[in-house]
Amino acid sequence: MSIRKWLLAAGTALALQMAVSPAGAVTLRYANQGDLKSLDPYTLNETTTNAHLGHVYEGLTARGKNLAIGPGLAERWETLDGAKKWRFHLRRDVKFHNGEPFTADDVIFSADRVRAQGSNFQTRVPKGAKFTKIDDHTVEVELESPNPIMIAQWDTWYIVSKKWAEANNSAAPTPASATTPSHIALNANGTGPFRIDSHQPGVRTVFKANANWWGKKEHNLDEIIFTPIPNDATRVAALLSGEVDVIEPVPIQDIQRVNGSDKARVLAGPELRTIFLGYDQIRDELLESNVKGKNPFKDARVRQAFNMAVDKETIKARVMRGLSTPSALMIAPELFAFSKAYQSPKFDPDAAKKLLADAGYPNGFEVGMDCPNDRYVNDGQICQAVVGMLARIGVKVNLNAQPKAQYFAKVLKSGGYKTSFYLLGWTPGTFDSHNVLFDIHGCRAEGSPRGESNLGGYCNKEVDALTDKILVESDNAKRDQMIKQAFDITTKEFAYVPLHQQALAWGVSRDVQLTQRADNSVLLYWATKK
């Protein structure tokens, strides 16, 4: 859609909205490059989706503006038996949006549902954890082994109403690959500060303030209207015209223009997400390659060649316009004390070509690549740059760049991990290295949540053993040494190609005040608008 047509449509929608909104109502209009496909909070473990649904649903814990963990639907908790047992004391007088009371039954139901087939959040709750209802407002969780960081990502394990889900045939989670939407994919019933008033996937979603929310209100909004605008120019034009109040992201090339306007400004800062390339290392033959009968990526020399052929500094300078931090590791430096001990392989196409020849591919080979084009900052352009860089060493990459809904439906577990080579971004939900080692590096196994987001199937049992020890180690110095030992293995095996940490860039109206968190969650329940 052209800018002119979009603005005309937006203006018509605005006029209709004003006609039905009460006088003096405060409406905040937010646009993102990506869509909100499903309202099921267990469909897609992706920061933007989690942030959208975090207005509606809540976890037992919550994270504040500085990412510190605090009480959520559980007002307090304690550990027993050396962190093998946890007791959660739930808030009283909390109601779901349909008026049902929140109780321990909803927690136990959600613990089973989040670990069920089709959920993209299976690692949120330990597989063997046993949930027991003590009374309507007390739940005990018994673990197979101590887990001192169990609740570190429970702020985005959202609690679902047992009664409502079962009554609407939504007891099972909706997989990202689903072609027919379930009731919970199109409707929502949470306990959060906003409720869903209407949802048109791909068009817009309207959130209304929940007047009966149990928490302390920190916004002055009556409603939020979310509209996906994938086109960069259209999204910026909407911000600068005043048709929307907040956009994410601001294209790097437009930051100066936005800051120079009298309508809006850019909130910028470092992000904790690592953007990286991965490859299928588990299949005996790649799904999308001209190499038959074997898988080139099972050879560490091929993986090393890819690492040496990708010029991270050029991506930073030309694609990211200087607004990225090249990375040698699969975790942001702010989250691991020894990150400075690692360096990326030297960019050297000639050496990379020799490695390919030594591995039996003197003329390179052909491979498909999957990439989202509306999820990360300049993701499509990054993939185009990688295609050109790999061409220099004889590797022909057939790029499949598509919107995130189709991308994730193909490459995630629910889609059968159907990818040979891909770009992905990862912010550890626990803000801890264990999450990266368990979810991204862990060996995939049927019936286990380990390696759920390890799309390429990298596997090293020694890394898994270290990961298990890291989970239960309470001495930080010992723990960091074990993390370093694990990352030493994965980097020497060239498990992935870490690219960079991207910079945050949100476009915000000068009439809006908004908190920016380093995890890139746009949380409008902290927004105020004049």
Side-chain angles (χ1 to χ4, degrees), residues 52 76 86 91 139 145 156 254 264 267 306 337 393 425 430 445 506:
H52 284 312
R76 59 188 175 88
W86 296 63
R91 293 187 186 278
V139 173
S145 59
T156 52
D254 290 314
L267 291 184
F306 272 51
I393 64 170
T430 58
W506 302 357

Side-chain angles (χ1 to χ4, degrees), residues 193-194 209-210 213-222 525-526:
F194 288 84
N210 176 15
W213 185 50
W214 60 267
K216 180 182 177 182
K217 181 178 174 181
E218 295 188 61
H219 66 85
N220 70 338
L221 309 178
D222 294 293
Y525 48 69
W526 289 325

Side-chain angles (χ1 to χ4, degrees), residues 58-60 62 70-77 88-95 101-104 136-138 213-215:
E58 298 174 292
L60 295 184
L73 291 177
E75 59 185 2
R76 59 188 175 88
W77 53 85
F88 295 88
H89 303 274
L90 309 180
R91 293 187 186 278
R92 299 171 183 270
D93 301 322
V94 173
K95 294 185 182 299
F102 158 68
T103 71
D136 277 351
H137 297 96
T138 310
W213 185 50
W214 60 267

Side-chain angles (χ1 to χ4, degrees), residues 218-271:
E218 295 188 61
H219 66 85
N220 70 338
L221 309 178
D222 294 293
E223 66 179 0
I224 300 165
I225 299 177
F226 164 66
T227 306
I229 307 179
N231 182 273
D232 287 346
T234 308
R235 195 166 61 253
V236 172
L239 176 70
L240 295 182
S241 70
E243 295 292 339
V244 298
D245 302 297
V246 178
I247 68 170
E248 194 280 318
V250 176
I252 291 172
Q253 64 272 17
D254 290 314
I255 289 176
Q256 186 174 352
R257 182 160 70 100
V258 172
N259 278 331
S261 75
D262 60 357
K263 289 281 189 181
R265 68 198 188 282
V266 175
L267 291 184
E271 190 184 6

Side-chain angles (χ1 to χ4, degrees), residues 18 20 81 130:
M18 291 177 67
V20 299
D81 190 19
K130 180 182 178 182

Side-chain angles (χ1 to χ4, degrees), residues 303-376:
R303 302 195 299 270
Q304 182 179 0
F306 272 51
N307 268 267
M308 297 177 75
V310 174
D311 188 348
K312 301 175 188 179
E313 291 296 335
T314 293
I315 291 174
K316 174 183 177 179
R318 297 184 183 177
V319 180
M320 302 299 291
R321 308 264 181 126
L323 294 177
S324 67
T325 303
S327 180
L329 207 55
M330 291 287 288
I331 192 166
E334 296 90 341
L335 301 179
F336 179 47
F338 294 143
S339 60
K340 292 183 179 179
Y342 297 86
Q343 291 185 335
S344 297
K346 182 182 177 183
F347 171 62
D348 191 337
D350 291 335
K353 289 178 71 174
K354 184 177 185 307
L355 282 167
L356 284 183
D358 292 344
Y361 307 98
N363 300 314
F365 57 90
E366 189 173 333
V367 66
M369 180 183 190
D370 292 292
C371 180
N373 59 13
D374 63 355
R375 176 60 194 93
Y376 313 111

